Amino acid sequence: MNKKEKAILAAKTKVLKALAHPARLWMVEQLAVGERCVCELVDGLGLDFSTVSKHLLVLKNAGVVTDDKRGKQVFYSLKVPCVLNFMHCVEAVIKGEG
Amino acid sequence: MNKKEKAILAAKTKVLKALAHPARLWMVEQLAVGERCVCELVDGLGLDFSTVSKHLLVLKNAGVVTDDKRGKQVFYSLKVPCVLNFMHCVEAVIKGEG
DNA sequence: CCGTTATTTGGTTATGTTGCCAAACAACAA
DNA sequence: TTGTTGTTTGGCAACATAACCAAATAACGG
């Protein structure tokens, strides 16, 4: 495995890691429906504002979501909708497990 | 979010977490080509046997791979090939980043 | 300007993950 | 049986992650 291959692997891992947390995955599924402000996500999750904000930063750094500040609120939306397609496969894995 | 929804979310997260490590992702990509014994994966990764074995256990517990002992060797293979399809999407995310 | 609301940043503590080593186990050969 | 090879398990030290609180920042209204 050379350096370039390692870098690609690290980049892919970053995306997967970003999705691999219940709160973040839930938010991604919400954003699939449509954009949400941070406050809506906080309400839905029942976590601290700061915690949600940090989770959103992880998703943003991974390139999964974008943010758009409008007035006092920040709206997040899904940047790459195909992310959801592979949830079907994840569900297939879960069923194969039982 | 009720208990059932939380359980489903946790199950999905387990699969994503299993994939969200460079060594494990690399192994999954290898297994997509065909089954491999642990020793081949150890050689490819340059990690300790015990480390690789534990990574494989994570993938197995997540339902991503299966193992088959033949003689002294254990062969691992991809249980749910669709897992690879979504790598295309992950690559799209990476490109969107640059 | 001052206060209020929405969000982010910093810091701390608790918890989880990773990798190595050593030891145990399993299958086979001598 | 003893040795050898391939693999798993247990344990520990290093490091990463997640949650909360408190404080900082940003946008707006009075």
Side-chain angles (χ1 to χ4, degrees):
Chain A
M1 217 180 337
N2 63 34
K3 282 206 172 179
K4 190 172 181 180
E5 285 171 327
K6 269 190 187 166
I8 293 171
L9 207 50
K12 289 179 189 172
T13 302
K14 189 177 175 183
V15 176
L16 289 167
K17 269 172 94 165
L19 298 169
H21 185 283
R24 291 195 294 262
L25 188 53
W26 183 84
M27 291 196 283
V28 166
E29 288 175 352
Q30 294 302 303
L31 299 182
V33 181
E35 65 169 18
R36 297 277 185 274
C37 70
V38 181
C39 53
E40 288 172 299
L41 298 168
V42 168
D43 284 349
L45 286 166
L47 290 172
D48 197 85
F49 236 111
S50 63
T51 304
V52 173
S53 182
K54 279 171 189 172
H55 279 307
L56 286 165
L57 184 62
V58 172
L59 288 169
K60 191 179 160 185
N61 286 338
V64 177
V65 304
T66 9
D67 58 340
D68 178 27
K69 183 156 199 169
R70 295 207 290 278
K72 273 182 286 189
Q73 297 178 71
V74 179
F75 290 87
Y76 280 83
S77 52
L78 206 51
K79 197 174 172 186
V80 190
C82 67
V83 168
L84 279 168
N85 297 347
F86 67 62
M87 282 307 139
H88 296 122
C89 177
V90 172
E91 277 153 26
V93 176
I94 294 166
K95 279 167 195 158
E97 239 188 316
Chain B
M1 216 181 337
N2 62 34
K3 283 207 172 181
K4 190 173 182 180
E5 286 171 324
K6 269 190 186 167
I8 293 170
L9 208 50
K12 288 180 188 172
T13 301
K14 190 179 175 183
V15 176
L16 289 167
K17 270 171 93 167
L19 297 169
H21 185 283
R24 291 194 293 262
L25 188 53
W26 182 85
M27 291 196 283
V28 166
E29 288 175 352
Q30 294 303 302
L31 299 182
V33 181
E35 65 169 19
R36 297 278 185 273
C37 70
V38 182
C39 52
E40 288 173 299
L41 299 169
V42 168
D43 283 351
L45 287 166
L47 290 172
D48 198 87
F49 238 111
S50 63
T51 303
V52 173
S53 182
K54 279 172 190 172
H55 279 308
L56 286 165
L57 184 63
V58 172
L59 288 168
K60 191 178 159 185
N61 286 338
V64 177
V65 304
T66 10
D67 59 340
D68 178 27
K69 183 156 198 167
R70 295 206 291 279
K72 273 181 286 188
Q73 298 179 71
V74 179
F75 290 87
Y76 280 82
S77 53
L78 206 52
K79 197 174 171 186
V80 190
C82 68
V83 168
L84 279 168
N85 297 348
F86 68 64
M87 282 307 138
H88 296 124
C89 177
V90 172
E91 278 153 27
V93 176
I94 294 167
K95 279 167 197 158
E97 239 188 317

